[in-house]
Amino acid sequence: ALKGTKIKVVFVGGPDPQSTDYYKQCVTEADDNFTFLGWLENGSPEIQSAYMNAHAVILPSCKEIFGNSLIEAGAAGAKLIATKSLPLDSMGIADYCRPIDPNSEKDIREKVLAVMSEPKEEGQIQYIASLFSWDAVAMRHLEIYRKVYDGE
């Protein structure tokens, strides 16, 4: 989807076990401005650097459970683009994330090109931290436990 754009693209992660041939094809056909880092350890300096230096993070998965990488990238200030199969509204990040059709190269390309020409979102880091900090998550869990305990 981004071939020929000259945008520096860094891929973090590896192939889907059922699609290793497709991944190999992507690596072979990639432009010189594409870098494939492979799998990185959570919390590693490399993954932190990737988030901190990214203008945008794209999660174009066909299947996704929650998208921790979006929360981590958003907390680092990256603009967010993600598969429309994620419940962005219920995650609380819909205002900071552009949904894409992961099967549409045209949609991915258009959204990435648009985002790359925009400044980063003011207040995004603070907003995401307010939703997903350890304290915020613990308080939401405590609230759920209280409701269950009270029979609500």
Side-chain angles (χ1 to χ4, degrees):
L2 299 176
K3 191 171 177 130
T5 63
K6 299 201 181 345
I7 294 172
K8 182 175 170 116
V9 179
V10 178
F11 291 89
V12 176
D16 178 324
Q18 283 119 26
S19 301
T20 56
D21 288 342
Y22 175 70
Y23 182 82
K24 289 175 189 172
Q25 178 185 355
C26 290
V27 172
T28 301
E29 295 180 15
D31 290 340
D32 291 340
N33 51 310
F34 288 26
T35 302
F36 293 82
L37 298 179
W39 296 109
L40 300 177
E41 291 290 322
N42 282 340
S44 70
E46 293 86 4
I47 194 89
Q48 291 174 7
S49 176
Y51 287 142
M52 295 302 292
N53 289 296
H55 184 79
V57 169
I58 302 115
L59 186 65
S61 310
C62 291
K63 299 176 198 166
E64 197 63 50
I65 299 170
F66 178 75
N68 283 345
S69 59
L70 281 181
I71 304 306
E72 294 166 349
K79 303 221 17 122
L80 306 174
I81 302 170
T83 178
K84 63 183 181 181
S85 66
L86 276 173
L88 300 173
D89 284 326
S90 64
M91 290 171 67
I93 63 169
D95 290 344
Y96 293 101
C97 189
R98 293 188 187 208
I100 54 166
D101 176 353
N103 296 307
S104 170
E105 288 184 27
K106 181 179 183 280
D107 192 32
I108 294 168
R109 186 182 187 96
E110 287 174 355
K111 299 274 174 59
V112 171
L113 291 175
V115 161
M116 293 304 288
S117 67
E118 299 171 355
K120 292 190 176 186
E121 296 282 344
E122 219 26 65
Q124 174 182 306
I125 294 171
Q126 296 79 10
Y127 176 77
I128 290 177
S130 76
L131 290 178
F132 297 100
S133 69
W134 286 108
D135 288 343
V137 172
M139 290 305 293
R140 279 202 306 280
H141 278 87
L142 186 57
E143 185 179 309
I144 291 167
Y145 293 143
R146 283 189 182 132
K147 285 181 179 180
V148 170
Y149 181 78
D150 292 341
E152 291 180 34

